[in-house]
């Protein structure tokens, strides 16, 4: 089997574009993440692009901030969070649930298939928030050694996605994982203390997390 080789990330464009094309085989995705690169389909004209932005969004668990109002809301909602169950369903819901300010999703059928295969190979994770037997929130990401990424999150009931994320953080801490690659800093990530760091700092943290 041919080895996938990505260009060095320091050659990325100003917006972090490293390469265009390729495939979403498990080996390809893993090689990308080992080098601080992730896939992000842009449009029908560019169905598969690979990025390594500078700066990079991260959630450092020792800087995690959970507002009291959110803690109270989560206690009231009482979600049942389950780990590493219904992975493909969570990814599909991440693709389907509308987001404010977004007209379409980057989570294509190829992305769903690629990351589902990654999960079956033991290199992806998820957390789902259930309420009344219904999956109402969730998050999924990549697992590689001591590295974890958060790829996307969805919410069908207030705070359900945050409940899944915070339960995932608690579990990752117990596993000795101290941070999460969020790639970008969304409003949810920022509200919990996430921030941007220089790409070189991110790559250093990545290298120290890999086997």
């Amino acid at each position: 089997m041919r080895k996938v080789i990505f260009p060095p990330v320091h050659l990325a464009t100003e917006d972090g574009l490293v390469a265009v094309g390729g495939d979403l085989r498990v080996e390809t995705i893993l090689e990308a993440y080992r080098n601080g690169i992730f896939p992000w389909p842009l449009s029908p004209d560019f169905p598969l692009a690979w990025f390594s932005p500078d700066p990079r969004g991260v959630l450092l668990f020792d800087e995690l901030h959970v507002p009291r109002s959110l803690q109270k809301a989560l206690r009231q909602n009482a979600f049942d969070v389950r780990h590493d169950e219904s992975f493909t369903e969570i990814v599909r819901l991440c693709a389907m649930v509308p987001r404010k300010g977004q007209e379409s999703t980057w989570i294509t059928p190829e992305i769903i298939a690629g990351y589902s295969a990654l999960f079956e190979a033991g290199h992806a994770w998820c957390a789902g928030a259930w309420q009344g037997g219904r999956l109402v929130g969730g998050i999924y990401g990549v697992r590689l050694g001591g590295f974890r990424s958060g790829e996307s999150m969805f919410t069908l009931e207030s705070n359900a996605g945050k409940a899944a994320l915070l339960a995932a953080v608690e579990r990752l801490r117990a596993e000795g994982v101290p941070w999460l690659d969020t790639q970008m800093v969304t409003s949810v990530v920022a509200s919990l203390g996430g921030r941007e760091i220089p790409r070189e700092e991110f790559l250093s943290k990545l290298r120290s997390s890999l086997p």
Side-chain angles (χ1 to χ4, degrees):
M1 184 178 293
R2 63 184 177 83
K3 179 177 174 57
V4 176
I5 300 176
F6 285 92
V9 296
H10 72 267
L11 298 179
T13 64
E14 186 175 347
D15 60 1
L17 179 63
V18 175
V20 175
D23 57 60
L24 287 167
R25 293 179 300 124
V26 168
E27 296 80 7
T28 303
I29 299 174
L30 290 179
E31 184 63 17
Y33 279 86
R34 288 189 191 101
N35 288 279
I37 301 167
F38 58 86
W40 190 12
L42 295 177
S43 70
D45 294 328
F46 297 99
L48 185 55
W50 302 85
F51 284 83
S52 182
D54 186 12
R56 183 80 164 230
V58 295
L59 182 61
L60 308 176
F61 298 161
D62 59 0
E63 297 180 4
L64 181 71
H65 169 67
V66 184
R68 290 183 179 179
S69 59
L70 176 57
Q71 296 179 37
K72 181 179 179 181
L74 292 178
R75 287 195 297 270
Q76 292 173 341
N77 288 332
F79 297 106
D80 173 23
V81 178
R82 307 173 194 172
H83 300 277
D84 294 335
E85 291 187 20
S86 304
F87 181 89
T88 299
E89 184 178 0
I90 287 174
V91 182
R92 284 178 177 155
L93 284 167
C94 285
M96 293 171 57
V97 175
R99 288 173 173 79
K100 186 176 180 180
Q102 294 186 15
E103 297 181 358
S104 61
T105 178
W106 61 271
I107 303 175
T108 62
E110 292 76 17
I111 287 283
I112 296 172
Y115 280 78
S116 294
L118 200 67
F119 178 75
E120 292 299 321
H123 293 297
W125 64 275
C126 67
W130 298 74
Q131 195 174 60
R134 175 172 168 247
L135 181 59
V136 294
I139 182 173
Y140 75 96
V142 171
R143 171 192 288 127
L144 188 57
F147 167 82
R148 300 289 185 277
S149 75
E151 297 298 309
S152 188
M153 186 174 76
F154 80 93
T155 295
L156 293 176
E157 296 292 342
S158 181
N159 295 312
K162 292 178 182 178
L165 170 58
L166 291 174
V169 168
E170 183 177 347
R171 188 184 196 197
L172 293 177
R173 276 176 158 169
E175 294 174 353
V177 177
W179 63 287
L180 186 70
D181 170 26
T182 64
Q183 301 168 355
M184 314 294 179
V185 178
T186 64
S187 58
V188 170
V189 171
S191 72
L192 298 174
R195 60 184 175 90
E196 293 179 333
I197 62 174
R199 183 168 57 207
E200 280 305 313
E201 181 180 345
F202 166 79
L203 292 174
S204 177
K205 295 176 72 66
L206 170 64
R207 286 189 289 266
S208 67
S209 301
L210 295 179

